Amino acid sequence: MYPDSNYVATAVGITEHPTLQGAERADVCVIGGGFTGLSAALNLAEQGLDVVLLEAERVGFGASGRNGGLIGSGQRKDALEMEEMFGYERSKEFWDLAEAAKTEIRERVAKHDIDCDLQYGQIEGVHKKSYVGFAREYAEALAERYDYPHARALSRDEVRTMVATEDFLEGLHDTQAMSIQPLSFALGLARAAREAGVRIYENSRVTGYTRTDPAKVSTEHGHVDASFVVLGCNGYLGKLEPRVAGKIMPINNFLLATEPLGEERARQLIADRNCVHDTRFVVNFFRTSADHRMLFGGGENYRARFPKDIGAFVRPKMLGLFPQLEDARIDYAWGGTLSVTVKRMPHLGRLEPNLFFAHGYSGHGVSIATLSGKLIAEAIAGTASRFDVMASVKIPTFPGGTLLRFPGMVLGMFYYSLKDRL
């Protein structure tokens, strides 16, 4: 069952798939029915390969069907940070790949007629005096060095005419960033994959696989023999692959949806249905829905359980930016598990010649996970140049590995959240 959320209530294309029973043979077995796995499966099938996809729960059950739906430009680290980390030429390569991710999403929505409320426009709200001036610097750098003239700095007055909060001191408006209803997008990819010949099995949790060629991928009630395996589990990897589990840290993000506010009030809160996020380390992100609700994401935790009352957990963060929503009823509240890396860059690679993986999108997963699936498909088909660029990033293991990463992350997050408050 999908967890209750506004996305489930408004999803287009929820379809039940069978559970794997018995033996199957395929060219590729994809593990995970989120953006990574669906994108890989669809692209592989379009190249003529026989693909089986195994999902432990339902298609889009994890973070792919629960996230904020924001599709930003660039990687999780901004382009100037990327220049410091990798130099300009490599930073430009990563930027171009992120632009390819946006193109992939736009083209998939159009090609497969995916009804996912695709909207354009994103605002980054600057909340801290020491950050003032960054928006202009960044917009100029994107235009001059990254061939991207679509971002512009917003003054304090301008940003407040577009987002009705007193919290922002300036802003950055990106007209070619996007937002979507993420579960509907995942379901649309699944439909396209089925139509391309992918066999999708739900409620088919993988219990293990062999390090052989072909590999044998086992579930409780069956197995798949495949020449290649794609691991696309992200924050739900668990103990399935210990060789990379320590490279990522599962964290939980939370969202709420208010009652319908009416079109006029919704547009007064956020103009033109832009999606918005702020510059806090633990980011607040929000937008209005097609039925004029405020969808607000804020706060996270680092343990297996969600808060008992997610709405009560997120609502104070919403009211901190929008006190005028004090009277708004909360109709839905939900959470999801993603994964982050130490460098906040995705972790792609191969563990065997026939075993590929991608995860650790660090909050930028709608676009980069979709792209990663496509890059894995290219690599399996014999063209690994773009995959190799992404896989070239060296991702350190969290200090203490899977055993001690949780207390270390909690201490680190406490430090940065304190810096946000100060």
Side-chain angles (χ1 to χ4, degrees), residues 94 108 126 225 274 328 341 359:
F94 285 123
R108 288 298 181 188
V126 175
D225 293 317
N274 286 282
T341 64
H359 56 196

Side-chain angles (χ1 to χ4, degrees), residues 79-149:
L80 299 183
E81 291 178 291
M82 296 288 284
E83 285 186 23
E84 291 181 1
M85 293 170 66
F86 303 108
Y88 168 72
E89 291 186 2
R90 180 52 62 93
S91 176
K92 182 64 163 58
E93 283 187 285
F94 285 123
W95 176 270
D96 290 343
L97 283 170
E99 282 298 287
K102 289 161 60 181
T103 299
E104 174 75 1
I105 291 170
R106 286 193 296 264
E107 291 181 349
R108 288 298 181 188
V109 169
K111 178 178 180 179
H112 306 295
D113 193 23
I114 300 175
D115 185 357
C116 62
D117 191 33
L118 177 65
Q119 300 290 318
Y120 283 85
Q122 183 174 125
I123 295 170
E124 181 176 14
V126 175
H127 82 288
K128 200 171 183 178
K129 287 184 179 179
S130 61
Y131 297 165
V132 171
F134 169 77
R136 184 173 301 280
E137 177 190 4
Y138 194 53
E140 290 175 354
L142 292 182
E144 293 171 3
R145 300 203 296 278
Y146 289 84
D147 304 316
Y148 193 80

